[in-house]
Amino acid sequence: MNANRAGWPLYEVFVRPRRGLNHVHVGSLHAADDRMALLAARDLYTRRNEGVSLWVVPSAAITASTPDEQDPFFAPSGDKVYRHPTFYDIPEDVPHI
Amino acid sequence: MTATELSEATLEGRFDAVVAAEQRIEPRDWMPDAYRATLVRQIAQHAHSEIIGMQPEGNWLTRAPSLRRKAILLAKAQDEAGHGLYLYAAAETLGVDRAELTEKLISGRQKYSSIFNYPTLTFADVGVIGWLVDGAAICNQVPLCRCSYGPYARAMVRICKEESFHQRQGYELLMTLMRGTDSQRRMVQDAVDRWWWPSLMMFGPPDDDSPNSARSMAWRIKRHSNDDLRQRFVDMTVPQAEHLGVTLPDPALRWNEERDSWDFGEPDWSELKKVITGQGPCNAQRVERRRAAHEDGAWVREAALAYAEKKRSAQ
């Protein structure tokens, strides 16, 4: 039990469902090394052709923003409505804009 | 009121608002301790059920009557293992460790579904488990896809997608047996007789004896009461039984025009209590098997670790 806790690290798994789409996070798993993580991810997350490509990333390597989704971290984008196309009034009869 | 108390109240208010708005709580959000504890208990119990659930059917892997049935059963057992792992991963997002949960399972401190403490006596049991047990599991699990805790809900979406194969292969297996000889048909009926009531018990005790239900429903972990889900399962299953040509072993089963539902008899709740408290036919055997697998696998876990370490130091 302790060996497991100290040992087999946690990996996050990302699957590209098909060509043209981004890799998407699907879950996590424990593995002793990168290669084993990749094989386990294949067996665990793509048993029914869910993917054409896999990434496994040690969870410890991920840097995340703070947990709260209402965090002031995202405040800079909150008050800049002029970044959106609908901010601008364009007459109805101007074509293709 | 001190500043920390105030902030706790604010946090709780935000949590409640997110839940009420049908949004999802995510791993690092603040959540009430009791919400976290309830989820850990429920998700762990669910994961354990998937893992222990491999045993009753695994009993028939080497004796499946054809290569086709064997390949299907193997794929199903592999899915159960996968479901267990999705769920352990979801539980780990709440700050517990999978090894710790396994330890609690094999020391009897955490439970798994009572249904897996019944023996699989014939190959027809494989079909009936797919049809009734996985059918009941689907009834229970579909609403969990909208559970307020994000990682659990997402794991359930994956699981439900795969569970439909389990139910259909079971029903098809039974249809095949029913088209066979008289003794094959008797075998199916016998399996249905043994599994019907335990399947109804999978939905848990009746509503007036289910103390934690109200809180779980307020937290949107649970969406429907035990009795509602049980009724839904009976209504779905009766026409399937008719189509199959088997009799459900309940003399009280009759259509109720007024309720637009099937009336059915009361399961023997004392049996459920007995099985939950460890006195079912296979409890000791299931846990012992799991313990042996865990302990026999210790050297593999250690060797993999040593190998990874050796490769790292060679670089």
Side-chain angles (χ1 to χ4, degrees):
Chain A
M1 181 176 155
N2 284 335
N4 195 351
R5 184 171 304 170
W8 287 28
L10 194 64
Y11 283 81
E12 300 300 323
V13 181
F14 301 79
V15 175
R16 183 198 294 285
R18 57 175 194 273
R19 288 178 178 280
L21 297 179
N22 287 321
H23 285 78
V24 175
H25 182 244
V26 290
S28 58
L29 54 79
H30 287 278
D33 58 33
D34 297 353
R35 173 78 184 149
M36 184 194 275
L38 207 51
L39 294 175
R42 177 198 62 191
D43 293 345
L44 188 55
Y45 291 103
T46 62
R47 283 195 302 282
R48 291 180 173 79
N49 304 315
E50 289 95 335
V52 295
S53 166
L54 272 171
W55 289 346
V56 290
V57 182
S59 306
I62 291 178
T63 306
S65 61
T66 44
D68 197 330
E69 285 179 17
Q70 297 165 13
D71 194 86
F73 185 74
F74 295 103
S77 80
D79 59 355
K80 296 180 180 59
V81 283
Y82 47 83
R83 282 178 173 164
H84 297 278
T86 47
F87 179 74
Y88 304 94
D89 284 329
I90 307 287
E92 288 279 338
D93 52 358
V94 180
H96 305 304
I97 183 164
Chain B
M1 200 183 254
T2 69
T4 40
E5 273 169 332
L6 189 69
S7 93
E8 182 97 340
T10 312
L11 290 166
E12 182 134 27
R14 258 199 228 171
F15 169 87
D16 290 341
V18 169
V19 170
E22 287 294 336
Q23 292 189 330
R24 298 287 174 261
I25 302 297
E26 294 296 342
R28 299 194 305 157
D29 288 340
W30 183 92
M31 60 188 88
D33 290 342
Y35 176 84
R36 185 185 300 273
T38 298
L39 278 170
V40 168
R41 185 170 43 84
Q42 180 171 337
I43 300 173
Q45 184 169 326
H46 197 159
H48 297 331
S49 300
E50 300 282 357
I51 298 298
I52 296 286
M54 288 190 282
Q55 291 185 39
E57 291 176 288
N59 182 34
W60 286 94
L61 273 174
T62 57
R63 291 174 290 155
S66 68
L67 186 58
R68 178 176 183 271
R69 293 291 169 198
K70 187 174 188 157
I72 291 169
L73 193 52
L74 204 53
K76 183 172 189 273
Q78 196 184 14
D79 275 353
E80 314 290 9
H83 296 176
L85 292 177
Y86 303 154
L87 289 163
Y88 283 128
E92 285 194 319
T93 64
L94 291 158
V96 291
D97 186 270
R98 188 175 82 194
E100 180 188 318
L101 299 178
T102 299
E103 193 55 41
K104 283 187 173 157
L105 168 66
I106 61 183
S107 62
R109 280 175 296 153
Q110 276 178 345
K111 297 190 189 330
Y112 53 89
S113 175
S114 58
I115 194 79
F116 301 116
N117 290 316
Y118 292 88
T120 41
L121 304 181
T122 71
F123 195 71
D125 289 29
V126 172
V128 169
I129 287 177
W131 172 40
L132 294 181
V133 175
D134 291 313
I138 291 171
C139 271
N140 262 331
Q141 290 173 349
V142 166
L144 288 173
C145 296
R146 295 183 296 128
C147 162
S148 60
Y149 187 59
Y152 191 26
R154 292 191 286 273
M156 291 317 304
V157 170
R158 298 185 65 86
I159 289 173
C160 286
K161 270 188 200 157
E162 300 180 352
E163 206 71 60
S164 170
F165 140 60
H166 297 184
Q167 195 189 19
R168 290 171 67 108
Q169 66 81 34
Y171 196 79
E172 188 228 45
L173 191 165
L174 296 176
M175 287 199 310
T176 308
L177 283 172
M178 292 303 283
R179 283 195 300 267
T181 63
D182 279 347
S183 84
Q184 284 175 316
R185 277 186 285 276
R186 275 198 301 276
M187 196 164 88
V188 173
Q189 184 61 56
D190 167 65
V192 170
D193 291 347
R194 284 181 289 109
W195 288 94
W196 174 248
W197 292 107
S199 298
L200 290 188
M201 293 175 199
M202 286 176 67
F203 297 93
D207 291 349
D208 51 23
D209 187 26
S210 181
N212 300 323
S213 279
R215 199 172 61 170
S216 282
M217 283 170 85
W219 278 333
R220 316 263 165 115
I221 295 174
K222 199 178 163 85
R223 296 277 175 173
H224 309 282
S225 80
N226 295 354
D227 287 336
D228 285 353
L229 289 168
R230 196 167 6 250
Q231 178 72 61
R232 190 177 294 183
F233 173 68
V234 172
D235 289 346
M236 271 172 36
T237 307
V238 173
Q240 293 168 353
E242 280 169 4
H243 198 282
L244 202 55
V246 295
T247 309
L248 297 174
D250 180 358
L253 195 66
R254 63 180 56 87
W255 179 248
N256 183 327
E257 197 82 40
E258 258 168 62
R259 292 200 305 121
D260 204 24
S261 260
W262 289 88
D263 288 340
F264 58 99
E266 189 83 1
D268 177 1
W269 299 120
S270 66
E271 178 181 325
L272 177 64
K273 283 225 168 70
K274 248 175 60 185
V275 178
I276 286 181
T277 52
Q279 301 157 66
C282 301
N283 295 57
Q285 175 190 335
R286 300 288 187 240
V287 172
E288 194 38 50
R289 181 77 198 86
R290 181 69 192 92
R291 170 189 291 282
H294 185 65
E295 287 171 2
D296 293 349
W299 72 271
V300 179
R301 294 191 292 276
E302 285 160 24
L305 210 53
Y307 178 71
E309 189 50 47
K310 189 173 140 191
K311 270 201 315 186
R312 246 194 309 277
S313 53
Q315 275 168 2

